[in-house]
Amino acid sequence: MNSSSVEPLNSVAVNLSHLESCSPEPQHLTITVLLCLVFLVGFILNSFSLWVFCYRISHWTSSNVLQFHLALSDAIITPAAPLMATYFIKSNHWTFGSFLCKTKIALLTMHLYGSILFLMLISIHRYIVVVQYKKTSPMKQVKFIHKLCGGIWLLLLASGTAIFSMFNTSNVGNQTLCLSIHQDEYTQVYFTVNLFILILGFLVPFAVTMVCYFLLASSVSRINTTTTKGQAIKSKSHKTVAICLAIFGFCFMPIALVRTIAVVVKMFFPNECKLLVKLETAYYICWILAGANCCVDPLLYCFVSRDFNKCLRTSLKTGGKIQEKRNENELYDQDSTFNSQPTI
């Protein structure tokens, strides 16, 4: 009688201890330091990039418009960075209330997928300008690009608003969680939302970018590099391809992969607590990698936009006192490459 009554009590104790092991664990200080460093550098670089676009480039091309909106999507993450750092310092305890938690999640979503979508548009634009230089296309028109970017921002705003309304804080023990795999009430929502954004927010843009750059690389490989113009077009295109693919592979792919694994494990193997804790840490590391695109994107502006490159060098040399005039016949001007046929 006594032994039979003790066994259920022991099993309950084991289950309770097992559940307690699923609670979130404090993250290493290194994650907080790296997070602050990445987003601080990204904030400085993108603020300077936006200043160059707004005050140093007098005449925007369609390429400049796309790059400006990419820099803007990188900059909107800035308000969320201090909140995330404080969250980690306080051992995954959110103290800023429900509204700021929702805002943080919305900003993270808009930043990440805004960067992905604008990089995809830059790849499409580069392909059309270089490969289809003889054909007329709306992608070569500044007004159309402005409208296209406006449509992207409306889409991002709609997705951010939807995310804002879906998620909230959760109380787990003595902790208040915000965007954590340990929020059990959001398990099904995390799984569904991840499937949606994985396909439409990453796989489709990545596939489009890969196709554009494959066709671009195939085309520029036939350019006659004995001419100065051929060498310039080929070099510029190769740098653009390399940077964009590096951003997708190094910054965006890890977070998509780790987040998908985490929600699948949480959905179908919720008792794998040690694995979930490790996946949560990996997810935060991947957010740092994703944030690193804010630091890499300014390199893209330097390589793709001759105007940005010239204004950057002028601003650094003169302290911003000399306004660089745009040269319509510059060899490296992206929008002028389709006006004359390269030697292939």
Side-chain angles (χ1 to χ4, degrees):
M1 180 70 179
N2 292 335
S3 61
S4 61
S5 62
V6 171
E7 288 180 1
L9 292 176
N10 289 337
S11 63
V12 170
V14 171
N15 289 334
L16 287 175
S17 63
H18 186 64
L19 288 174
E20 288 177 359
S21 66
C22 288
S23 61
E25 296 183 0
Q27 302 299 320
H28 196 276
L29 181 62
T30 304
I31 292 181
T32 305
V33 173
L34 290 176
L35 177 73
C36 294
L37 180 63
V38 166
F39 284 108
L40 176 62
V41 174
F43 170 72
I44 294 173
L45 292 178
N46 283 286
S47 297
F48 182 75
S49 298
L50 290 172
W51 177 79
V52 171
F53 282 124
C54 293
Y55 297 105
R56 307 306 297 169
I57 298 180
S58 58
H59 184 279
W60 280 14
T61 65
S62 54
S63 177
N64 295 146
V65 175
L66 290 173
Q67 294 157 21
F68 168 80
H69 285 281
L70 176 59
L72 191 60
S73 69
D74 288 341
I76 64 173
I77 190 61
T78 303
L83 301 180
M84 294 172 64
T86 305
Y87 181 59
F88 293 144
I89 291 174
K90 294 189 175 183
S91 301
N92 293 356
H93 179 57
W94 186 263
T95 59
F96 300 104
S98 173
F99 178 80
L100 286 181
C101 174
K102 290 168 169 282
T103 303
K104 182 202 78 169
I105 301 173
L107 288 177
L108 290 175
T109 303
M110 294 175 64
H111 155 69
L112 180 61
Y113 297 102
S115 297
I116 290 175
L117 291 176
F118 285 119
L119 280 171
M120 180 189 69
L121 291 181
I122 288 175
S123 68
I124 296 174
H125 180 270
R126 186 64 186 164
Y127 164 75
I128 291 174
V129 164
V130 174
V131 179
Q132 299 185 359
Y133 56 90
K134 286 185 176 180
K135 299 179 181 179
T136 58
S137 172
M139 289 295 289
K140 300 174 183 178
Q141 301 173 7
V142 175
K143 290 184 178 180
F144 175 81
I145 294 297
H146 275 300
K147 294 179 181 178
L148 182 61
C149 291
I152 295 295
W153 280 111
L154 288 177
L155 179 63
L156 293 173
L157 183 61
S159 64
T161 303
I163 292 296
F164 183 91
S165 63
M166 284 182 187
F167 300 108
N168 206 334
T169 57
S170 300
N171 293 321
V172 178
N174 296 325
Q175 292 177 286
T176 301
L177 304 182
C178 177
L179 192 62
S180 171
I181 196 66
H182 301 286
Q183 293 176 277
D184 293 336
E185 66 270 31
Y186 293 126
T187 299
Q188 181 66 52
V189 179
Y190 281 151
F191 184 83
T192 304
V193 170
N194 176 75
L195 181 63
F196 180 78
I197 61 179
L198 175 67
I199 296 174
L200 297 182
F202 176 73
L203 293 179
V204 172
F206 182 59
V208 172
T209 301
M210 286 291 291
V211 170
C212 287
Y213 284 140
F214 174 79
L215 296 175
L216 177 61
S218 177
S219 176
V220 298
S221 65
R222 300 192 299 271
I223 293 178
N224 184 0
T225 56
T226 58
T227 64
T228 304
K229 187 170 187 176
Q231 292 176 354
I233 294 175
K234 191 169 185 175
S235 174
K236 183 178 179 181
S237 297
H238 283 165
K239 290 176 181 178
T240 305
V241 171
I243 293 176
C244 285
L245 293 184
I247 292 173
F248 267 96
F250 182 76
C251 299
F252 300 143
M253 187 177 294
I255 192 170
L257 181 62
V258 170
R259 186 186 59 237
T260 300
I261 296 174
V263 297
V264 169
V265 171
K266 182 65 176 179
M267 184 74 176
F268 298 105
F269 308 97
N271 294 327
E272 296 292 336
C273 299
K274 291 183 179 180
L275 179 59
L276 285 172
V277 169
K278 291 180 180 179
L279 286 171
E280 183 179 35
T281 300
Y283 177 72
Y284 292 141
I285 294 174
C286 289
W287 258 119
I288 297 174
L289 294 178
N293 84 91
C294 299
C295 306
V296 180
D297 285 340
L299 295 178
L300 186 65
Y301 314 145
C302 293
F303 287 131
V304 173
S305 174
R306 180 61 177 174
D307 288 335
F308 184 91
N309 197 0
K310 290 173 60 181
C311 291
L312 174 63
R313 288 182 297 175
T314 300
S315 299
L316 292 176
K317 289 180 179 179
T318 65
K321 295 180 179 180
I322 300 177
Q323 175 66 44
E324 185 74 30
K325 294 183 179 179
R326 184 173 183 268
N327 186 351
E328 298 291 343
N329 296 321
E330 276 289 345
L331 179 62
Y332 291 89
D333 190 326
Q334 181 164 333
D335 282 346
S336 68
T337 56
F338 61 85
N339 290 329
S340 59
Q341 180 179 4
T343 305
I344 300 178

